[in-house]
């Protein structure tokens, strides 16, 4: 059989035949490598990618060099994903090769080498020293890959990053700060660096303009007032720090993913309090969710207190991926409506009050009958009404005051947005993570 025929035999249905082909291919050594790599980059190959990668790994250093050679012959940025995955998958035996690849001209290969080193090296201090210069790489994607590598190593590399902040190299200082923020937040950042970040934020705030407020999973409380300080005091928020509008939205977005794999309270540590927007102040963050099991009673009581002071207060939850909506409307110290819709979930325990006039108007506009209580799962028109309910939160917010998705540079604005800690943040600490705009 030719080398190509042997490689194609790796796609045999019979396991014994496939294993025999793998042994024969590995025994051929570098003679068969062009055929292996050719099949790897051929999306129509009868051999699956995992099988090809397993054989390449089995062949060791020669196969690694062949894959790297194939990659370096391609125009920068044109490497097929399957070939890049092969390059990154050789494991610890290829660590010396990955270190050498950090010096390659192609930024895609430098990024892949950094990722491979962070994945396969068991000697974290040595690996960190090897990739440290790339914190200041000329390519933004390489710098970000390096920050991610340091973040994956965690607290073990904090002293090294802190030393970079103090002693350099200068080009790596910004990346070191971002990595420190990702690993431990303010707990591992020096007071001098925090002060510098605050000065930078004040500079960027000058001329700042608002934009759409949108998160993957967005919760917010809306109050018809520009008294930001009073709202924060009534909510028990502390340590407010001025931030550019886009940074506040970014923080709310990354916080909305908190608690998915760890403590469910992690996402409740911080909120973004907007400047006055068209007469409204929004408090944005998972802590404001009117439907969360841990928070629903507190959010209800909070909105009642706010509405007693300001006449109205509203709380919402909305998913940008169409996972549902939840709303809570309070007026003059009392909740007049709470309702949630999450496809496939029982929300009867959330329902308070009668359907709002807005809900009935929307049903009429859709040609649907009015209802005394929204029990979607028992109505013949359930599917049509379902699509309305998925976006109930932002649409109702717009009808009653301010739709955060519709905020833009033309929205009348007064004041400065602030990130502030909740009671969870005071107890658990400021969330880690670099804030971007």
């Amino acid at each position: 059989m030719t080398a190509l025929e042997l490689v194609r035999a790796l796609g045999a249905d019979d396991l014994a035949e496939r294993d025999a082909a793998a042994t024969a291919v590995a025994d051929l050594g570098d003679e068969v490598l062009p055929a292996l790599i050719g099949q790897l980059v051929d999306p129509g190959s009868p051999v699956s990618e995992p099988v090809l990668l397993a054989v390449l790994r089995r062949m060791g250093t020669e196969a690694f060099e062949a894959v790297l050679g194939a990659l370096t012959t391609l125009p920068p940025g044109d490497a097929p994903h399957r070939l890049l995955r092969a390059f990154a998958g050789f494991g610890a035996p290829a660590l010396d090769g990955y270190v050498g690849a950090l010096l390659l001209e192609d930024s895609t290969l430098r990024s892949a080498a950094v990722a491979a080193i962070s994945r396969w090296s068991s000697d974290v201090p040595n690996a960190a020293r090897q990739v440290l210069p790339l914190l200041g790489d000329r390519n933004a994607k390489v710098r970000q890959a390096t920050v991610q590598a340091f973040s994956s190593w965690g607290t073990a590399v904090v002293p090294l990053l802190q030393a970079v902040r103090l002693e350099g190299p200068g080009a790596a200082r910004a990346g070191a700060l971002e990595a420190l923020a990702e690993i431990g937040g303010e707990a591992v950042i020096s007071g001098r660096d925090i002060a510098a970040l605050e000065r930078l934020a004040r500079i960027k705030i000058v001329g700042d303009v608002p934009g759409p407020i949108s998160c993957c999973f967005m919760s917010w409380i809306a109050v018809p007032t520009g008294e930001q300080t009073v709202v924060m005091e009534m909510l028990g928020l502390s340590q407010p720090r001025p931030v550019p509008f886009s940074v506040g939205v970014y923080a709310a977005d990354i916080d909305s993913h908190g608690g998915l794999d760890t403590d469910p309270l992690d996402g409740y540590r911080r909120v973004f309090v907007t400047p006055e927007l068209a007469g409204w102040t929004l408090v944005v963050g998972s802590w404001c969710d009117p439907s969360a099991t841990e928070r629903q009673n507190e959010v209800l009581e909070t909105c009642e207190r706010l509405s007693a002071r300001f006449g109205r207060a509203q709380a919402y939850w909305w998913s940008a991926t169409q996972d549902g909506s939840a709303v809570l409307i309070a007026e003059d110290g009392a909740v007049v409506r709470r309702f949630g819709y999450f496809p496939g979930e029982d929300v009867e325990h959330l329902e308070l009050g009668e359907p709002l006039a807005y809900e009935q108007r929307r049903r009429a506009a859709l040609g649907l009958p009015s209802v005394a209580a929204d029990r979607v799962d028992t109505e013949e028109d359930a599917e049509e009404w379902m699509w309305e309910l998925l976006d109930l939160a932002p649409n109702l917010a717009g009808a009653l005051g301010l739709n955060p998705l519709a905020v833009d540079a033309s929205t009348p604005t007064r004041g400065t947005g602030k990130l502030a800690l909740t009671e969870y943040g005071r107890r658990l600490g400021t969330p880690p993570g670099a804030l971007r705009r």
Side-chain angles (χ1 to χ4, degrees), residues 339-348 351 363 371 373-383 385-386 389:
F339 176 64
Y341 175 67
F342 312 102
E345 295 186 27
D346 181 7
V347 295
E348 188 174 0
E351 191 162 340
R363 291 183 65 85
V371 290
D374 278 328
R375 292 302 303 277
V376 176
D377 55 345
T378 64
E379 298 176 353
E380 294 181 1
D381 51 61
E383 183 172 355
W385 188 230
M386 173 195 75
L389 293 179

Side-chain angles (χ1 to χ4, degrees), residues 21-97:
T23 300
V25 167
D27 288 344
L28 280 177
D30 58 4
E31 177 184 341
V32 78
L33 285 171
L36 269 173
I37 293 172
Q39 291 298 293
L40 185 63
V41 299
D42 179 6
S45 172
V47 189
S48 70
E49 182 180 348
V51 170
L52 290 167
L53 296 184
V55 174
L56 286 166
R57 283 195 295 269
R58 181 174 173 179
M59 296 176 70
T61 302
E62 288 183 350
F64 174 82
E65 294 295 340
V67 169
L68 178 57
L71 285 166
T72 56
T73 62
L74 296 167
D78 280 359
H81 290 299
R82 283 159 61 107
L83 201 56
L84 280 173
R85 285 194 291 269
F87 169 74
F90 279 90
L95 279 172
D96 287 344

Side-chain angles (χ1 to χ4, degrees), residues 229-313:
T229 300
V230 175
V231 170
M232 289 193 292
E233 288 175 352
M234 292 185 67
L235 296 179
L237 303 177
S238 62
Q239 299 181 39
R241 287 185 171 166
V243 292
F245 198 91
S246 59
V247 171
V249 175
Y250 179 86
D253 191 20
I254 61 171
D255 290 352
S256 75
H257 296 85
L260 298 181
D261 301 309
T262 53
D263 187 337
L265 304 183
D266 276 352
Y268 299 150
R269 299 190 198 189
R270 175 175 63 188
V271 290
F272 173 48
V273 186
T274 70
E276 182 181 355
L277 300 169
W280 290 77
T281 296
L282 307 186
V283 182
V284 188
S286 298
W287 183 79
C288 304
D289 184 355
S291 63
T293 302
E294 304 91 353
R295 291 284 302 152
Q296 62 189 41
N297 292 334
E298 287 80 359
V299 172
L300 184 149
E301 293 169 2
T302 294
C303 287
E304 287 181 331
R305 286 189 290 107
L306 288 169
S307 70
R309 170 67 182 269
F310 298 107
R312 292 181 289 166

Side-chain angles (χ1 to χ4, degrees), residues 124-125 128-129 131-136 143 146-169 172-185 188-190 192-193:
V124 170
R129 286 191 293 271
V131 304
L132 188 148
L134 280 79
L135 284 170
R143 293 196 301 273
T146 310
V147 168
Q148 290 172 357
F150 274 91
S151 300
S152 72
W153 288 320
T155 55
V157 296
V158 164
L160 177 60
L161 292 168
Q162 290 172 332
V164 172
R165 289 298 302 166
L166 287 172
E167 303 164 8
R173 281 194 171 109
L177 181 58
E178 185 174 353
L180 285 168
E182 293 288 357
I183 293 169
V188 297
I189 297 176
S190 71
R192 185 179 69 175
D193 279 341

